[in-house]
């Protein structure tokens, strides 16, 4: 196995370890999630685009040393050289026995040819794509308005002393919100269209060299629809009231009043982000009672419950029993997908009222549905504090109750509606 093949195989194996058996079915957010897992073990942040390219073998030269080391660190090796030493040596002898005619002997080459080839090899591997002085970069921001949505944010940066081929600022996990920047310029103004806790990234080549935590809270329930997850077009749903028959929810008429095309397949988001974050993401209790109303006929209706954290995320998609392959559960680095795991226990009739309880104690998560334990896992990611909560569905959720407490009794949110 040559070195390029080893890179690809190692990345695919990381996907498998995180519950992704088919890279072709992965979304950009999935690739970004793998980047976060690499960062957890190595301290080296790698963009989801780079990881995707490595998985598909879309590279003609080896990645940067930092990227290679991050992969090696994931497997508990100190450096890429240490990692490949035990891997590449497994096959060369066999290859030599099979195809000796394909091997060339450098002693038959002329000296000028050798010099040119070695010189070109050194040039392309030592200069193109190199990254140096990353620690000398600076990166900060300020919000032009307190917590309005949308919100203009002014990023200040200095990359003059950093050696790299290209630079970008990316708002958060969504690579569609990435802007290119250049040396000798120091300010970029960008717009956040969604509330939440965002981690902005300063990127050199394909490596994240600085981050900034951008919090845009709502202190109220905020509603929006997404028409196309690839283009991530956000449509706000502005309403005078969100009380639907005594529950938190919206009506189809309210969607139409906001010019939402209900005939299209959309994801409807109800989110709440407080200004104050003091509930630890590794020790809390969450209870809710929820159901959904279909907006259009869907083969697999679902309800997603998301607990947003300053780092990583906690997310659970519940759907009908016949669509169990579409379900998933995520806590920190632990991602279980219905396509690779038996998640039938978390499925139910999403059109009927259902009680869901999530308890996390010292990074051990337990999920109960209608009082019965249906899932548990242990994770290692440091999630820091809870930053918000949300309900996401391909229909309209109705929420009858929400309670979110720290284990010592401090309330982040409570409402019986």
């Amino acid at each position: 196995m040559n070195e390029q093949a080893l890179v690809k195989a190692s990345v695919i194996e990381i996907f498998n370890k995180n519950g992704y058996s088919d890279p072709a079915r992965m979304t950009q957010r999935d690739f970004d999630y793998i980047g976060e897992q690499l960062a957890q073990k190595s301290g080296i942040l790698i963009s989801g685009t780079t990881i995707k390219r490595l998985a598909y073998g879309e590279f003609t030269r080896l990645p940067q040393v930092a990227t290679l080391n991050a992969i090696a660190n994931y497997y508990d090796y100190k450096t890429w050289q240490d990692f490949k030493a035990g891997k590449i040596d497994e096959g060369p002898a066999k290859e030599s026995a099979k195809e000796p005619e394909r091997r060339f002997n450098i002693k038959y080459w002329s000296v000028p040819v050798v010099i040119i080839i070695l010189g070109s090899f050194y040039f392309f591997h030592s200069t193109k794509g190199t990254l140096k002085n990353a620690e000398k970069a600076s990166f900060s921001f300020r919000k032009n308005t307190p917590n309005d949505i949308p919100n203009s944010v002014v990023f200040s940066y200095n990359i003059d002393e950093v050696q790299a081929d290209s630079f970008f600022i990316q708002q958060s996990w969504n690579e569609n919100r990435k802007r290119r920047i250049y040396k000798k310029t120091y300010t970029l103004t960008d717009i956040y269209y969604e509330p939440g806790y965002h981690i902005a990234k300063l990127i050199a080549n394909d490596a994240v060299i600085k981050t900034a935590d951008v919090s845009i809270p709502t202190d109220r329930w905020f509603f929006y629809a997404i028409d196309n997850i690839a283009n991530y077009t956000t449509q706000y749903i502005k309403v005078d009231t969100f009380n639907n028959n005594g529950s938190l929810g919206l009506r189809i008429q309210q969607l139409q009043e906001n010019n939402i095309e209900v005939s299209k397949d959309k994801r409807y988001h109800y989110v709440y982000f407080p200004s104050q974050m003091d509930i630890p993401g590794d020790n809390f209790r969450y209870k809710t009672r929820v159901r959904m109303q279909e907006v259009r006929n869907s083969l697999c209706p679902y309800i997603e419950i998301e607990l947003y954290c300053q780092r990583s995320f906690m997310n659970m998609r519940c759907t009908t029993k016949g669509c169990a392959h579409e379900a998933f559960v995520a806590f920190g680095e632990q991602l279980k997908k219905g396509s690779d795991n038996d998640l039938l226990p978390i499925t139910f009739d999403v059109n009927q009222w259902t009680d869901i309880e999530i308890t996390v104690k010292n990074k051990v998560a337990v999920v109960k549905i209608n009082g019965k334990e249906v899932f548990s896992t242990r994770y290692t990611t440091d999630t820091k504090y809870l930053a918000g909560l949300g309900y996401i569905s391909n229909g309209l959720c109705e929420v009858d109750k929400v309670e979110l407490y720290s284990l010592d009794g401090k309330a982040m949110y409570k409402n019986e509606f």
Side-chain angles (χ1 to χ4, degrees):
M1 180 183 294
N2 62 33
E3 203 160 358
Q4 282 85 353
L6 178 60
V7 171
K8 180 178 178 179
S10 301
V11 172
I12 295 297
E13 178 61 22
I14 292 172
F15 292 167
N16 292 335
K17 288 178 178 292
N18 284 273
Y20 299 102
S21 59
D22 184 4
R25 298 182 62 185
M26 293 174 63
T27 66
Q28 185 58 48
R29 189 167 186 176
D30 294 331
F31 291 115
D32 288 330
Y33 172 78
I34 295 297
E36 293 172 1
Q37 301 316 303
L38 289 172
Q40 288 290 331
K41 295 204 69 170
S42 67
I44 300 169
L45 291 166
I46 304 173
S47 71
T49 297
T50 296
I51 292 170
K52 182 178 181 180
R53 190 172 70 248
L54 298 181
Y56 282 93
E58 297 173 351
F59 56 99
T60 56
R61 58 183 176 83
L62 285 178
Q64 301 175 54
V65 173
T67 300
L68 295 173
N69 285 344
I71 296 172
N73 294 163
Y74 187 88
Y75 292 96
D76 298 321
Y77 285 85
K78 186 175 181 180
T79 68
W80 175 256
Q81 297 301 321
D82 294 336
F83 176 68
K84 77 172 184 178
K87 300 293 182 181
I88 294 183
D89 290 343
E90 295 176 1
K94 297 179 181 179
E95 291 180 12
S96 178
K98 289 180 180 179
E99 300 180 314
E101 71 279 2
R102 294 189 181 182
R103 295 188 176 275
F104 296 90
N105 195 325
I106 197 171
K107 70 180 181 180
Y108 297 114
W109 296 355
S110 66
V111 173
V113 170
V114 172
I115 293 174
I116 292 172
I117 292 175
L118 293 180
S120 299
F121 179 87
Y122 174 81
F123 175 79
F124 285 107
H125 281 75
S126 63
T127 60
K128 186 174 177 59
T130 56
L131 172 60
K132 295 182 179 179
N133 301 328
E135 71 282 357
K136 295 185 178 180
S138 63
F139 187 45
S140 61
F141 76 95
R142 76 170 190 275
K143 291 185 286 188
N144 276 348
T145 55
N147 293 314
D148 296 342
I149 304 295
N151 199 307
S152 291
V153 172
V154 180
F155 291 103
S156 298
Y157 59 89
N158 190 323
I159 53 175
D160 289 350
E161 296 187 61
V162 182
Q163 180 181 327
D165 294 330
S166 59
F167 300 90
F168 301 89
I169 289 178
Q170 183 175 314
Q171 283 191 356
S172 189
W173 65 270
N174 183 10
E175 293 212 358
N176 291 324
R177 302 297 303 166
K178 184 166 70 173
R179 302 272 299 276
R180 186 160 187 172
I181 58 174
Y182 300 90
K183 291 187 176 183
K184 306 301 180 182
T185 60
Y186 307 101
T187 301
L188 172 71
T189 300
D190 209 348
I191 298 177
Y192 282 82
Y193 291 101
E194 297 173 28
Y197 198 90
H198 308 276
I199 302 176
K201 304 171 182 178
L202 177 62
I203 300 172
N205 292 341
D206 293 322
V208 179
I209 59 175
K210 295 284 184 180
T211 62
D213 291 19
V214 182
S215 177
I216 304 177
T218 59
D219 291 317
R220 58 186 171 88
W221 286 101
F222 190 86
F223 308 94
Y224 60 94
I226 294 177
D227 184 30
N228 187 322
I229 196 67
N231 296 324
Y232 221 80
T233 302
T234 304
Q235 297 173 280
Y236 300 140
I237 305 172
K238 299 180 180 180
V239 295
D240 294 328
T241 178
F242 48 78
N243 193 311
N244 184 7
N245 296 322
S247 302
L248 167 68
L250 301 175
R251 299 186 303 276
I252 294 178
Q253 180 184 348
Q254 291 174 309
L255 301 183
Q256 295 169 333
E257 291 171 352
N258 281 269
N259 297 318
I260 305 294
E261 296 181 68
V262 296
S263 61
K264 289 187 175 181
D265 186 15
K266 297 178 182 290
R267 287 165 57 86
Y268 297 96
H269 294 239
Y270 305 176
V271 296
Y272 176 89
F273 292 95
S275 296
Q276 186 173 347
M277 292 169 285
D278 52 10
I279 305 297
D282 300 325
N283 289 280
F284 67 88
R285 179 172 287 109
Y286 166 83
K287 294 181 180 181
T288 190
R289 189 165 185 257
V290 64
R291 69 180 180 184
M292 64 92 77
Q293 173 193 1
E294 292 191 49
V295 174
R296 61 190 292 274
N297 185 36
S298 175
L299 295 177
C300 291
Y302 64 81
I303 296 172
E304 286 181 29
I305 291 174
E306 184 152 7
L307 298 172
Y308 303 89
C309 303
Q310 290 179 301
R311 294 294 182 272
S312 192
F313 56 88
M314 300 178 185
N315 199 359
M316 180 172 72
R317 175 184 286 182
C318 301
T319 184
T320 59
K321 293 186 181 299
C323 296
H325 66 290
E326 296 289 341
F328 64 78
V329 184
F331 289 92
E333 78 282 357
Q334 297 295 330
L335 173 62
K336 305 296 182 182
K337 303 179 74 173
S339 55
D340 307 306
N341 298 270
D342 180 10
L343 294 184
L344 189 64
I346 74 165
T347 62
F348 53 84
D349 184 352
V350 296
N351 298 121
Q352 301 300 317
W353 286 113
T354 302
D355 291 300
I356 298 174
E357 179 178 343
I358 299 174
T359 302
V360 176
K361 184 176 182 180
N362 298 328
K363 299 184 179 180
V364 176
V366 176
V367 178
K368 293 182 179 180
I369 294 180
N370 289 329
K372 180 181 178 181
E373 182 175 328
V374 294
F375 180 84
S376 65
T377 189
R378 178 185 295 274
Y379 62 91
T380 60
T381 303
D382 182 11
T383 59
K384 299 185 72 173
Y385 288 96
L386 289 173
L389 60 94
Y391 297 86
I392 306 168
S393 178
N394 55 355
L396 292 179
C397 286
E398 293 180 65
V399 185
D400 194 46
K401 176 181 70 175
V402 186
E403 295 180 6
L404 184 53
Y405 289 92
S406 65
L407 292 186
D408 62 5
K410 185 181 296 183
M412 174 176 162
Y413 188 87
K414 179 180 180 180
N415 200 321
E416 298 289 344
F417 298 106

